[in-house]
Amino acid sequence: MRLTSKGRYAVTAMIDLALHAEMKPVPLAEISERQSISLSYLEQLFSRLRRKNLVASARGPGGGYKLGMLPGDISVGMIIDAVDENVKATKCDSSGGCNDGKRCLTHSLWDDLSKRISDFLDNISLADLMTNNEIKQIVNDQDHDRQMLNKIDVNII
């Protein structure tokens, strides 16, 4: 099983969006800055997330993205699936052709692990993550750091 940066970045960006989209759409540039994810990479990810209706875009001044569904209705598994990631632990991608077209000795073990991981991720929603105290503290720290940088920039000008 290998969850690449694509899946991790998509989940991170969606948590950031959920926590910052209280009343207005969130520009991807803000997510990019807070999470240190390339803006062009975020644009690619959000294009996929939009196709699955997990996010909706708003154009024009004050535009950006907002969630396409309620946070409780968006699971981590849905986000990972939307960006074409998978959490399969089998060598054969669960087809059973692991060993020259035949099942290997451990196929059932790895297939069961894949199913458990998938079930685990499908049962964690953005709403669950938004109430996580560690995540809330990290967001508060990021927002505080950003405010301090903005004050420094204003004082320099």
Side-chain angles (χ1 to χ4, degrees):
M1 182 205 89
R2 185 164 179 248
L3 184 62
T4 67
S5 57
K6 181 170 44 171
R8 285 193 302 277
Y9 286 166
V11 173
T12 299
M14 288 290 287
I15 295 168
D16 184 289
L17 176 64
L19 289 166
H20 289 94
E22 295 125 9
M23 298 296 226
K24 62 182 177 81
V26 178
L28 287 184
E30 289 181 11
I31 298 172
S32 172
E33 182 181 325
R34 279 190 295 267
Q35 303 309 323
S36 300
I37 303 171
S38 156
L39 180 58
S40 62
Y41 198 64
L42 280 175
E43 289 169 348
Q44 293 172 34
L45 293 175
F46 272 69
S47 173
R48 292 173 183 216
L49 294 165
R50 190 175 59 242
R51 275 184 252 148
K52 296 288 185 171
N53 299 315
L54 298 180
V55 297
S57 62
R59 297 178 182 260
Y65 283 88
K66 57 185 179 179
L67 295 178
M69 302 176 202
L70 294 173
D73 294 336
I74 300 174
S75 73
V76 172
M78 291 168 71
I79 297 167
I80 291 170
D81 181 59
V83 296
D84 298 325
E85 284 282 89
N86 71 61
V87 290
K88 304 245 187 276
T90 56
K91 184 171 124 181
C92 64
D93 200 28
S94 296
S95 68
C98 336
N99 196 10
D100 293 326
K102 298 178 185 172
R103 285 189 137 186
C104 68
L105 292 174
T106 56
H107 177 84
S108 295
L109 170 70
W110 303 127
D111 194 44
D112 187 43
L113 175 62
S114 298
K115 289 175 186 167
R116 289 178 187 225
I117 292 169
S118 190
D119 288 344
F120 174 76
L121 296 175
D122 286 342
N123 285 297
I124 300 173
S125 71
L126 280 181
D128 297 330
L129 296 172
M130 291 170 71
T131 61
N132 178 293
N133 287 329
E134 182 180 0
I135 290 173
K136 284 195 229 178
Q137 184 59 52
I138 292 168
V139 167
N140 287 338
D141 292 346
Q142 288 174 341
D143 290 345
H144 178 264
D145 292 348
R146 188 163 182 243
Q147 288 172 352
M148 295 307 291
L149 284 173
N150 287 341
K151 284 181 182 179
I152 291 169
D153 288 344
V154 169
N155 290 333
I156 292 174
I157 297 172

